[in-house]
Amino acid sequence: MKESYVYIMANRCNGTFYIGATVNIIRRVWEHKEGITEGFTKRYGIHRLVYYEIHDDIANALLRKKQLKKWKRHWKFRLIEENNENWDDLYDSLL
């Protein structure tokens, strides 16, 4: 099984969120930051990795992603703040 990730990106503190899942978080976040793909993150300038989780495989990561997407906004906000109080960009810590 391949290590997988669920991640939340934001355009600013308490701004617009994006929730994704991937097997290569470094590449995927870089793609968001560089605006490689047209879509939601490029349109709203979402470039800051503010939260991520590691999972055993992509199936578990996708289940968690679906769960988080159903959460109320303030629950997501609290999850981020419990783990990243200053809403720092966590991308550099992955490198």
Side-chain angles (χ1 to χ4, degrees):
M1 291 187 196
K2 189 166 187 171
E3 191 172 76
S4 301
Y5 303 85
V6 174
Y7 60 95
I8 301 176
M9 297 189 69
N11 60 352
R12 59 185 167 78
C13 182
N14 200 21
T16 303
F17 297 135
Y18 173 83
I19 301 173
T22 185
V23 294
N24 187 337
I25 194 168
I26 293 171
R27 185 198 75 226
R28 189 66 183 118
V29 172
W30 178 82
E31 291 171 350
H32 288 303
K33 287 178 166 296
E34 296 298 317
I36 301 294
T37 308
E38 294 295 325
F40 186 82
T41 57
K42 185 174 181 178
R43 186 173 346 142
Y44 291 97
I46 298 172
H47 302 292
R48 187 186 302 185
L49 176 66
V50 293
Y51 176 80
Y52 68 94
E53 300 174 355
I54 303 170
H55 292 270
D56 299 7
D57 60 40
I58 194 65
N60 289 334
L62 290 170
L63 286 173
R64 178 64 168 161
K65 173 186 165 184
K66 288 179 184 181
Q67 179 188 43
L68 290 175
K69 283 185 166 234
K70 292 178 183 178
W71 279 18
K72 295 179 187 290
R73 179 176 174 76
H74 69 273
W75 295 353
K76 296 172 200 175
F77 182 84
R78 190 175 334 139
L79 178 67
I80 294 166
E81 292 232 319
E82 286 173 356
N83 293 280
N84 184 1
E85 183 178 7
N86 297 321
W87 290 66
D88 296 323
D89 189 343
L90 304 175
Y91 180 70
D92 289 338
S93 69
L94 295 173
L95 300 176

